[in-house]
């Protein structure tokens, strides 16, 4: 057993339920590698897990951290793909906010030399989510109109960049303080709250694909701007967390969303996307994105990095501030 520090959510609630505690990490079991975590990704999923409203999450106590980049320290029985010292990324869903973690070898992907580790840390969750939805779920193509809620967020920005690379016209919502940055990426931003984007998109003929991480009433609004054969890809329930409003159960709006897509009299499609490392395209997505980073096809902006010991402030500041890009927790002390 090795002594470590890690984040623990002992019960669900406000930021004060987050604690950084002393703990231990056992040797890696069969089929697992032990990883010294450098950075963990940080997202709305972590915030919603802390509140206890992330769909199908496990009960407290738990250690959050949806993805990581780190260095392999040891191999469990039967593991030979990596050697100690190799840098890997992995989608974990839990446990990445810990100095050492054991993860199944089959979910780890080696990071090529020369890639910035902060940018690589954003690949397994933020950019993998965007890549999967743009390329595989919505199948965005040249000339389509794409609408993205949260264009200045980590996943929203990635959706915008990847959709532009496919030749789409990209519209969406973003905080007004970030509109100039969004325009610099080629997007057309609107203010979410004034709802002018609804009229504008319908004037254009609707969106062929809408990506919505907000949930609740936003799913209805997003459905209303779809083109006749468009697809609404939902992938979150962050509306209440962003607005710091009353925490509501997200299951009802999700069920309504899915039911709309089952109407045989309507050509509009709906789906709730959930990222999983058991997807047949999981490793190929990560490999492709790391290659795109390596050859300069994409550059991943990092908006903010917090030390793990400052985890409460990370949760307080999530969704605020100017700038675009991914958010990270620095776990290692060096």
């Amino acid at each position: 057993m090795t002594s470590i520090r890690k984040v623990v959510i002992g019960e669900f609630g406000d930021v004060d339920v987050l604690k950084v505690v002393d703990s231990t990490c056992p040797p890696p079991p069969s089929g697992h590698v032990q990883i010294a975590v450098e950075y963990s990704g940080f997202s709305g999923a972590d915030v919603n897990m802390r509140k206890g409203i992330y769909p199908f999450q496990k009960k407290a106590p738990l250690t959050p951290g949806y993805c990581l980049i780190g260095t392999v320290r040891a191999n469990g029985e039967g593991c030979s793909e990596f050697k100690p010292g190799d840098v890997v990324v992995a989608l974990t869903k839990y446990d990445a906010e810990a100095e050492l973690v054991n993860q199944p070898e089959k979910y780890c992907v080696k990071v090529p030399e020369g890639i910035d580790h902060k940018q690589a840390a954003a690949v397994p969750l933020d950019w993998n989510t965007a890549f999967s939805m743009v390329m595989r779920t919505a199948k965005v193509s040249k000339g389509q109109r794409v609408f993205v809620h949260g264009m200045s967020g980590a996943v929203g920005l990635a959706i915008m960049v990847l959709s532009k690379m496919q030749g789409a016209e990209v519209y969406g919502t973003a905080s007004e303080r970030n509109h100039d940055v969004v325009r610099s990426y080629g997007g057309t931003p609107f203010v979410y709250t004034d709802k002018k984007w609804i009229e504008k998109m319908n004037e254009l003929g609707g969106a062929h694909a809408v990506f919505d991480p907000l949930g609740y009433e936003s799913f209805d609004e997003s459905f209303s701007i779809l083109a006749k054969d468009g697809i609404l890809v939902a992938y979150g329930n962050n509306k209440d967390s962003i607005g710091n409003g009353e925490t509501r159960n997200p299951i009802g709006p999700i069920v309504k969303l899915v039911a709309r897509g089952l109407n045989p009299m309507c050509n509009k499609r709906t789906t709730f996307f959930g990222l999983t490392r058991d997807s047949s395209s999981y490793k190929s997505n990560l490999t492709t994105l790391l290659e795109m980073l390596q050859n300069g096809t994409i550059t991943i902006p990092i908006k903010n990095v917090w030390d793990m010991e400052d985890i409460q402030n990370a949760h307080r500041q999530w969704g605020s501030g100017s700038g675009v890009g991914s958010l990270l927790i620095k776990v290692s002390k060096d």
Side-chain angles (χ1 to χ4, degrees), residues 241-255:
S241 296
I242 292 172
N244 292 316
E246 177 187 354
T247 298
R248 296 174 289 176
N249 189 317
I251 300 302
I254 293 174
V255 171

Side-chain angles (χ1 to χ4, degrees), residues 45-255:
D46 297 277
V47 175
N48 288 333
M49 280 188 191
R50 186 250 299 163
K51 294 182 176 184
I53 60 171
Y54 191 79
F56 311 114
Q57 74 176 87
K58 63 181 178 181
K59 296 179 180 179
L62 63 89
T63 292
Y66 220 105
C67 67
L68 62 79
I69 184 169
T71 303
V72 174
R73 286 291 180 86
N75 285 313
E77 182 181 352
C79 295
S80 59
E81 185 174 352
F82 308 108
K83 63 182 185 297
D86 283 348
V87 177
V88 296
V89 292
L91 188 71
T92 58
K93 190 170 183 178
Y94 305 101
D95 300 324
E97 290 173 15
E99 290 177 329
L100 286 178
V101 64
N102 296 322
Q103 287 291 306
E105 179 190 58
K106 65 180 181 179
Y107 298 133
C108 299
V109 174
K110 187 175 180 180
V111 177
E113 292 185 8
I115 290 180
D116 179 81
H117 286 193
K118 292 188 184 75
Q119 294 188 52
V123 164
L125 179 59
D126 296 341
W127 282 71
N128 185 18
T129 297
F131 188 87
S132 299
M133 293 192 299
V134 169
M135 306 299 290
R136 304 188 188 280
T137 304
K139 296 180 174 62
V140 172
S141 60
K142 185 176 181 179
Q144 288 189 327
R145 292 180 296 275
V146 169
F147 196 90
V148 184
H149 285 294
M151 298 176 90
S152 57
V155 177
L157 179 79
I159 294 171
M160 176 170 58
V161 170
L162 294 170
S163 295
K164 292 289 292 183
M165 290 175 65
Q166 292 299 106
E169 299 173 12
V170 184
Y171 307 82
T173 60
S175 299
E176 195 164 8
R177 61 182 178 270
N178 291 322
H179 280 194
D180 287 345
V181 180
V182 168
R183 292 187 187 99
S184 74
Y185 280 90
T188 301
F190 294 89
V191 175
Y192 176 80
T193 52
D194 66 16
K195 310 301 180 184
K196 292 180 180 179
W197 49 275
I198 296 176
E199 180 181 358
K200 181 61 177 179
M201 292 310 299
N202 282 314
E203 285 177 357
L204 293 172
H208 299 96
V210 179
F211 298 93
D212 190 334
L214 299 175
Y216 306 101
E217 301 84 7
S218 184
F219 288 165
D220 297 328
E221 295 168 344
S222 293
F223 189 81
S224 77
I225 66 168
L226 284 177
K228 292 181 179 180
D229 58 348
I231 181 170
L232 168 55
V233 184
Y235 66 99
N237 304 281
N238 294 326
K239 192 172 189 292
D240 288 352
S241 296
I242 292 172
N244 292 316
E246 177 187 354
T247 298
R248 296 174 289 176
N249 189 317
I251 300 302
I254 293 174
V255 171

